[in-house]
Amino acid sequence: MRTARSRLLVAAVVLAAGVFATGSADGAGGPAPQAAVLAPEAPAAAADSCDPTVSLPPRKVVGTKIAKIIERDTLLVGVDQNSYNWGFRNPKTGRIEGFDLDLAHAVAKSLLGNPDKITLKTVTTAGRADALDKGDVDLIARTMTINCEHKIAFSAPYFRIAQRVVVPKSAHAKTLAEALNGKRACVAKTSASETELKRDPHGTVSVRAMENQLDCLVLMQLDEVDATLTDSELAAAQVAQDPRVEMVGEPILPGWMGVGMDQKDTDLIAWVNQVLIDWRASGGWQTSYDHWLRDTMGAPDPYLP
Amino acid sequence: MTAPAVPQARAGALAPPPAREPGPVARLRRSAATPPGRLRAAGAVLAALVLLFGAVAVWQSVHRSRAAGQVVSASGPLSQDAAEIYLRLADADATAAAGFLLAVDEPATVRGHYQDDLSTAAERLAEAAGRSGGTGDPKLTELNQQLSRYAGLVETARALDRQGLPLGGAYLRYASELMQGTVLPKAQSLAEDESARLDSDYRAAGATPWAALALGVLALAALARYQVLLFRRTNRVFNPGLLGGSLAVLAALGWLLAGTMTAGDDLARGRTYGTRPLRELDQVRIAALKAHTAENLDLVARGASDKYTKQWADLVATLDQDPRTVGSVSGLQAGAPPDAANLLTDAASAYQQWQDRHKDAAAQNSAGNYEAALQRTLTAGGPDTADAAFQDAGRKWKDAAKVEQDAFAKATAGLDGMLTGQAVAAGVLSVLGAAAALRGIGRRLAEYR
């Protein structure tokens, strides 16, 4: 264990130093030695444990990725347009708004000095890793649950969540088992909920995997499915849009939401982590919560990271 | 004709007259052995041949007249109706997406356009059900049901949009999927059915009446041959009755031949200036509409999927093929009737404008300027958007389709009436011909008295 770990450490330091050195060569980078200091933590989080709350230490240092963003003068953000109050297209204005968008604007402001220097691209739940991989987006802010699949690197957590079941009130279900047993369930494709129902079907007779959790609410209203399993904040968003459905049963699979980024972009990951700290400290998190979520989710305490 | 009394003169000489005891068959055989008997038999055969010719000609003409009637008033319009149903449904879907994209800026015209599409599609469905007869195609019934379901989903989406809920967008996606995945394929198969029916009616209406023609020639040949025979035997040049009969048969045959050729001509013109260019035009309109739908849905998806950009590229590749390929925009002018050609030229330049503007918009979109891309594609009342150019091309194509439909109607007008007239003529002339032939034979028989 020890040797494996130390070998990884060496590799990480070399890699990080290389990355940051390139950043400096571009003329926009910070001092390379400093970058090396924070490197040892990264592989520890990735290789040794799967503590989703651990990310790179916060630091505002311009590396390769950030230099590229500055040169481009706009931040490419992957968002959702179907998550009510999180990232949703306001059908009255056609603009995408929500809690996640506030966060994205905060990152843009910190990187480029202007919260509106941002280019939004919607990504599907299934297409997230791909979008980062191909460089279509710099980061993804769309109610993403931090996972340990190592396909995507995550920021530090910015919201605490769990999985909840949504059912029509007419089902009169009280528990998770009543809501799912013998029922037709619906989940978002390649979501944590789908993984859970694959692991344990909870007695469901069928599972429909849709492009988006909101498609599940449509199917539920049209009586094509009986229940939806999704993240608690999205479950709350469904309830907020349809007074005839409710969340039932105990929350399962507690987790955290994080900003998704490419593993190579260590400078951006560290930068975003700093933005998250500043956002909390300046009251931005609270303001956004009050504006978008308090009505449907109540006091913020259970959700604080 | 007092035939039974006549033969005694010679029959008595050939055979002793113990008459009246053999059966009718033997009597017939015996009487056929005598010259007057032979005459009578020949008369019967000739008359029967002429009447048979008449009957077959009438039957075949009626059959073709009915098929022509179908082409003119049923399968022709029906196949265009089916294409129209498809076009309207696809357009409704594209327009619903446009309304969604325009959000609060959606002008009443876009809403009106959508409603007009739906009500026209419903009307055509009702008309098609009426034309196709009492029971109706089950596809029509299903289409009707799905159409009202689709309309309900779109209304739900609009109501949710008005409340500012993204659930409206999810409903629109669901509705669009129903349209693209279920309704349109059904409408397409309906259109294919109608096309096939029209083709088969065309074939039936334009079929050459070989049996009637062959019988006519046979009857004419028999009449001629018998007249030659009589001429040799009697040295009399003309038998007016048989000659009249021959002329009647000749006239009926001529009428039949001329009618067949005219009908073939009319049908060919209906096909050349109507059906065929209409079909090619429909094909282009459908592909263009699909591309337009993909264009709008791509903006709705906002980068969540590259499905629509791929769809667009495929469809446009078909539309942009060289003029010789069926389904290309530039190929439409070549096969079109002259009146439609100008409209089609204008439509082709509007189409080009649409393509250019779409390219601009797509460039903006991939540069991350979604708002600019949206505006270039679709602005409420914007005259220089991609959507405006598409609508322009669409209107001209529609006008050209009207011209081609008229050309079809003009070419085939009265075709069924003409074929009915031909049936009546063949019937009357063949009866006259048979009567004349019998009369001619009767004259000859009278000479044995």
Side-chain angles (χ1 to χ4, degrees), chain A residues 45-260:
Chain A
D48 264 352
S49 67
C50 185
D51 181 352
T53 61
V54 173
S55 178
L56 293 179
R59 184 164 224 105
K60 285 192 172 178
V61 175
V62 177
T64 321
K65 181 66 178 186
I66 294 177
K68 206 184 280 172
I69 294 168
I70 290 170
E71 196 195 321
R72 194 201 298 131
D73 204 28
T74 183
L75 179 68
L76 305 177
V77 182
V79 294
D80 187 15
Q81 55 174 340
N82 294 295
S83 301
Y84 190 36
N85 293 330
W86 285 87
F88 75 107
R89 178 186 182 274
N90 184 334
K92 292 176 180 166
T93 60
R95 292 176 60 89
I96 298 183
E97 306 168 350
F99 187 90
D100 276 337
L101 269 293
D102 287 356
L103 170 55
H105 283 294
V107 175
K109 182 165 188 247
S110 155
L111 281 168
L112 302 167
N114 181 348
D116 291 326
K117 288 194 171 174
I118 189 168
T119 299
L120 303 179
K121 293 196 173 175
T122 62
V123 289
T124 57
T125 313
R128 293 177 297 198
D130 222 32
L132 284 172
D133 212 40
K134 284 194 291 185
D136 289 345
V137 295
D138 299 321
L139 57 86
I140 293 178
R142 81 181 281 296
T143 63
M144 231 173 146
T145 309
I146 299 175
N147 61 50
C148 300
E149 289 166 16
H150 302 298
K151 283 181 191 154
I152 297 176
F154 286 95
S155 70
Y158 67 91
F159 209 89
R160 191 189 288 268
I161 50 152
Q163 298 283 305
R164 296 296 301 268
V165 173
V166 182
V167 291
K169 283 180 178 163
S170 59
H172 299 297
K174 292 275 170 288
T175 63
L176 197 73
E178 277 175 18
L180 292 179
N181 201 8
K183 299 292 166 59
R184 300 163 297 172
C186 183
V187 294
K189 224 178 264 171
T190 64
S191 65
S193 315
E194 190 188 27
T195 314
E196 171 61 12
L197 286 188
K198 271 185 185 157
R199 189 188 66 79
D200 172 6
H202 291 273
T204 51
V205 289
S206 65
V207 177
R208 292 243 330 240
M210 303 301 292
E211 199 110 286
N212 197 285
Q213 46 81 30
L214 198 54
D215 299 328
C216 291
L217 182 53
V218 174
L219 295 185
M220 215 147 52
Q221 291 189 348
L222 297 174
D223 195 32
E224 291 184 33
V225 299
D226 305 309
T228 300
L229 182 66
T230 185
D231 295 355
S232 50
E233 81 286 357
L234 299 174
Q238 290 199 359
V239 174
Q241 294 184 75
D242 181 0
R244 292 195 184 187
V245 300
E246 60 182 351
M247 281 185 272
V248 298
E250 57 283 13
I252 55 168
L253 298 172
W256 284 268
M257 235 186 258
V259 179

Side-chain angles (χ1 to χ4, degrees), chain B residues 14 19 37 65 73 96 112 123 128-129 148 154 207 230 234-235 243-244 247 261 294 322 342 346 361 372 375 377 397:
Chain B
L14 278 172
S65 155
S73 59
E123 258 167 49
S148 54
V154 170
L230 280 183
T234 61
N235 271 334
L243 193 64
L247 286 176
M261 277 156 64
D322 70 289
N342 280 340
D346 290 351
Q375 274 193 352
T377 309
W397 279 328

